[in-house]
Amino acid sequence: MPNDIFTQDLPRTEANFAALTPLSFLERTALVYPERLAIVHGALRQTWARTYDRCRQLASALQRRGIGQGDTVAVMLPNTPPMVEAHFGIPMAGAVLNTLNTRLDAEALAFMLDHGEARAILVDREFSGVVSRALALRTRTEPLLVVDVDDAVYTGPGERIGSLDYEALLAEGNAAFAWQLPADEWDAISLNYTSGTTGNPKGVVYHHRGAATNAISNILEWDMPKHAVYLWTLPMFHCNGWCFPWTVAARAAVNVCLRKVEPKAVFDAIRDHGVTHYCGAPIVHAGLVNAPDELKQGINHTVKAMVAGAAPPAAMIEGMEHMGFDLTHVYGLTEVYGPAAVCVKHEDWDALDVGERARLNARQGVNYHLQRGVTVMDPLTMQPVPLDGETMGEIMFRGNITMKGYLKNPRATQEAFAGGWFHSGDLAVMYPDGYVKIKDRSKDIIISGGENISSIEVEDVLYRHPAVLAVAVVAKPDDKWGETPCAFVELKAGASTTPEELIAHCRQHLAGFKVPRAIVFGELPKTSTGKIQKFELRKQAGSQTAIDA
């Protein structure tokens, strides 16, 4: 029998246990640093004390309107102060925050509002048109509170479509509202929809414990200091901004808001506000690296950048270093709160040439501090693959930084958690040092003449060409081989090359069967978070003219 001497007469009470929640980060920062700057946006300069008051007003106003525990509140907002406040005020009311992708069409938004059973929606005026159409397409008949959000920085088109505006809603609330910790840290804090390429997207549910632990892990992975200055280049609607609204509050840092990500606006913000940290997809960093030199003048401090998605190629790493930016490569999915693995850099890597550093930094790495584990396993046997850098399996996660599950989809949840691990769908290898390296999405592997070709491997080679800004490789149907690689290439501004030149470049670095048989130039279709939409390119690949490679 197990010895229970350490459980007898040792109760768990309010004195020795409190639910983990990132909401407490705001409470503490407002107490300790009430007059420190919290939010910068246009002419607005808002302190942490004022931010805490406004978040409590929002929570109080929602509760007074009958919105509380377990109710969903959707927001259609860019990276503006109300979006920061929504990450605290809505869950302070006990409600669940549903951040909507601002680039979605009305049909997708209507599905999400219905599926998530939203009780209210906050709408920035820029998106009033698409939201109006979405509201008209809803099938649920329950009333939905629509709140207009104005932004002094925005001067474009848009109408009021709600019954009141955001400031009026806040005026209904009490700035001294006594919000409560969640009854259970397993309670939902937010709902995020996957960007599914077929069928309806899945609703990913986050809990307070996971949001808090990922927010803390962000600090640990970056060694993020107190009072850092964080620039919002990553959309807050994407995995709750990788939990950085809560991270920034924990560090009493500064949120520098940015409605639209453009190189000039980014460099101006870094220069004007002393930005120390920002996150983004590879296309964001590539845009900065390839921006005109005059935009980069006057930035004399180190900026820490975090990149997720495609691995950073050597040209990006070299370009970032030239600007004085320190790049950290992270990896994750919506189901694991954004990043839950990181390619931890080692000091001895600094002495290596940029190509070797790029090879090492291209790996997805190891688990976040507060994520229990990340590994690569055979999805059928659930056995780990050998640490040989060659044997492929599926990347799997487990731990606190993993979703509760898919909303109203028990079958998909069960499949995702089969064997006690979350199945990512990404194919990868493990190296002897325990680092994970993605080889491809399971659906992106190209099978040519019976040989498996990693699209990521081919992309890595094409990224080494000096004219290439962005690239995506997909399968092209082939009568003889079944499939062959087709490369879609976006060139840098002012650069030029030919399909033949790129084919020759690939031949220098790849086995013949891996070399693309078609090269297509043009701007690549991307999601609102900068990810390349390969499913769109697959549709185009069948009609492309082949090149004899």
Side-chain angles (χ1 to χ4, degrees), residues 83-199:
M83 185 61 136
V84 177
E85 293 163 358
H87 276 78
F88 296 92
I90 290 170
M92 278 178 171
V96 178
L97 170 64
N98 175 208
T99 56
L100 299 171
N101 185 325
T102 58
R103 294 190 180 180
L104 291 178
D105 59 28
E107 289 76 12
L109 294 172
F111 167 81
M112 293 173 184
L113 292 173
D114 282 343
H115 185 261
E117 300 182 18
R119 294 281 310 280
I121 181 171
L122 311 183
V123 185
D124 185 279
R125 185 160 50 87
E126 181 179 357
F127 312 113
S128 59
V130 68
V131 172
S132 290
R133 294 191 293 275
L135 295 175
L137 293 171
R138 289 179 65 227
T139 57
R140 287 177 59 84
T141 58
E142 290 79 3
L144 180 67
L145 175 65
V146 180
V147 180
D148 295 306
V149 181
D150 274 322
D151 178 10
V153 172
Y154 179 68
T155 58
E159 300 176 345
R160 291 184 177 274
I161 61 173
S163 56
L164 78 166
D165 65 33
Y166 181 68
E167 294 301 326
L169 176 65
L170 261 61
E172 297 177 3
N174 179 6
F177 175 67
W179 65 278
Q180 302 294 314
L181 290 175
D184 188 336
E185 58 192 16
W186 180 248
D187 286 351
I189 189 172
S190 64
L191 170 65
N192 291 282
Y193 282 91
T194 61
S195 52
T197 58
T198 58

Side-chain angles (χ1 to χ4, degrees), residues 62-98:
L62 290 172
Q63 282 202 353
R64 288 179 178 181
R65 285 181 169 262
I67 297 171
Q69 187 63 39
D71 291 328
T72 302
V73 177
V75 300
M76 187 74 164
L77 302 171
N79 287 348
T80 54
M83 185 61 136
V84 177
E85 293 163 358
H87 276 78
F88 296 92
I90 290 170
M92 278 178 171
V96 178
L97 170 64
N98 175 208

